[in-house]
Amino acid sequence: MVREEILRKEFDIFIAYHGTNNPMGSKQKAWELYEHLSQFADCFFLPVTYPEGDFSDTPTIAKHAKLFLLVANDNIPLNDKSEIHATDDNWLHPEVNSYYSAHVTRKAKVYACGGLTAAKANNFHVAFGGTAHFVEGESADPMRELTLWAQTSLQNGSVAAPVAKTSAPSYRADKRVFEGTWILTGEFKGFQGDFRKHYTSMGRLILTWDSHCYKALYCYSVSRDFSDQAHVTAICEGFSSFEIGEDGKEQLVITCDIIGRTSAKKQRNNNKHFRLVLTPRLGADGSVIALVSEFKTKNTDGTLTFTKGR
């Protein structure tokens, strides 16, 4: 494909990476994801798609792409504000800028590997703020989540649209539908490796709409039956995005950072980041009466139910 064709082409997914000639960079992981995503999408990945090309062309190519995926690890060069460096020899920044300037809806995400956290990725650029990323070590199955996002986004032509085959409502248009205080009741078959006892959870989730996403403040405690003390109490903050589940229904995904926690001894889960995938439960009149999350990890199996406070 000649240069003029490449520059005019609208690729399905633009795959960006860092450290082209650096063994500590993300090129190898990006190559792996390119091979996977190319099975169902038309992807741009410079070393394969345009090996004779120059990085000076990539901002133009990124601008025309439908989706943008940055593959990054914890060695990505950042400035003193933990943002992607804007330097003359770093084409990653103009690639992100070019894509962001041409796309209003949030179609840019980070595939984080090598110790990179969702919180750090979220700060790279405004294009990545307020969206859920795919994080190895944090997400249960980041490759599966990446595949689902790409397939549903490309199928609909927009991340913001619901799957065509379903008549389920879209909540993106009503920016206030989830705003307010939600009361948590949780039931656990197993909690942090203990599947012999029954655990319950209580707490509050406060959602506030802020220009492009819900900001979340989440406080909870988890207690074992017949125990006088809570095994875990935590205060978390995070942000939201909308995603499409396997059943074609829209879900509200809250990506949280734990900012304060107390726990009983010998607890196994020391993760500071997690995702709540919340599925709206509707009443007879079609209104949202609850948000439900099946919270399952290697060591924990529970159902979290949030009902709107008065």
Side-chain angles (χ1 to χ4, degrees):
M1 190 179 296
V2 299
R3 178 174 182 269
E4 289 72 22
E5 291 180 276
I6 288 277
L7 293 177
R8 289 197 303 267
K9 185 175 174 63
E10 292 186 0
F11 287 92
D12 289 335
I13 308 173
F14 183 97
I15 302 176
Y17 59 96
H18 61 88
T20 300
N21 300 311
N22 185 346
M24 301 298 288
S26 62
K27 181 179 177 180
Q28 191 59 43
K29 174 60 72 171
W31 204 311
E32 175 187 331
L33 297 182
Y34 166 79
E35 291 180 341
H36 172 73
L37 294 171
S38 291
Q39 296 178 50
F40 60 85
D42 187 5
C43 301
F44 178 86
F45 177 56
L46 185 71
V48 177
T49 319
Y50 194 29
E52 72 283 2
D54 189 88
F55 277 110
S56 60
D57 288 333
T58 55
T60 300
I61 300 167
K63 181 179 181 180
H64 297 152
K66 298 172 185 175
L67 303 173
F68 188 101
L69 180 69
L70 168 59
V71 183
N73 59 37
D74 206 31
N75 297 310
I76 185 171
L78 303 173
N79 61 22
D80 57 2
K81 296 181 179 180
S82 298
E83 301 166 336
I84 295 172
H85 264 306
T87 59
D88 292 338
D89 60 347
N90 182 10
W91 287 103
L92 179 56
H93 189 273
E95 287 170 0
V96 179
N97 259 351
S98 179
Y99 182 87
Y100 179 72
S101 66
H103 296 78
V104 177
T105 54
R106 296 190 172 275
K107 303 178 186 179
K109 291 181 179 282
V110 175
Y111 187 97
C113 55
L116 179 63
T117 65
K120 194 170 182 178
N122 192 60
N123 197 51
F124 283 170
H125 189 280
V126 65
F128 303 119
T131 189
H133 305 297
F134 316 105
V135 187
E136 293 184 352
E138 293 184 20
S139 304
D141 191 343
M143 184 70 82
R144 178 177 172 277
E145 293 170 5
L146 168 63
T147 302
L148 182 61
W149 168 71
Q151 288 178 332
T152 55
S153 300
L154 295 172
Q155 176 183 347
N156 292 290
S158 170
V159 171
V163 175
K165 66 181 180 181
T166 179
S167 59
S170 173
Y171 302 101
R172 294 176 176 83
D174 186 352
K175 302 297 192 299
R176 307 296 180 186
V177 66
F178 297 125
E179 194 167 45
T181 300
W182 297 80
I183 301 171
L184 164 67
T185 56
E187 300 283 338
F188 292 90
K189 299 176 183 176
F191 184 73
Q192 295 187 2
D194 183 1
F195 288 84
R196 299 169 300 172
K197 302 291 184 179
H198 180 257
Y199 289 79
T200 58
S201 181
M202 59 186 300
R204 298 291 186 273
L205 172 65
I206 302 173
L207 298 176
T208 307
W209 182 260
D210 184 7
S211 74
H212 62 266
C213 70
Y214 289 102
K215 298 293 181 66
L217 180 64
Y218 179 33
C219 308
Y220 68 88
S221 66
V222 179
S223 301
R224 190 179 66 196
D225 280 0
F226 310 112
S227 175
D228 293 333
Q229 71 176 66
H231 269 51
V232 173
T233 60
I235 301 175
C236 319
E237 60 181 8
F239 53 86
S240 71
S241 67
F242 288 102
E243 296 183 5
I244 304 298
E246 290 182 321
D247 58 0
K249 295 181 180 179
E250 197 169 65
Q251 299 170 324
L252 180 67
V253 179
I254 308 294
T255 302
C256 288
D257 291 329
I258 296 176
I259 58 177
R261 177 169 60 185
T262 61
S263 63
K265 295 180 179 179
K266 299 181 180 179
Q267 294 297 305
R268 300 183 182 184
N269 184 11
N270 294 316
N271 194 3
K272 296 293 185 182
H273 315 281
F274 63 93
R275 301 171 81 226
L276 286 176
V277 180
L278 301 169
T279 301
R281 181 178 293 171
L282 306 182
D285 61 354
S287 62
V288 179
I289 59 173
L291 298 171
V292 181
S293 175
E294 299 297 330
F295 196 84
K296 300 181 186 298
T297 67
K298 181 180 179 181
N299 298 317
T300 298
D301 183 357
T303 300
L304 307 178
T305 302
F306 297 86
T307 53
K308 199 70 175 286
R310 296 185 182 277

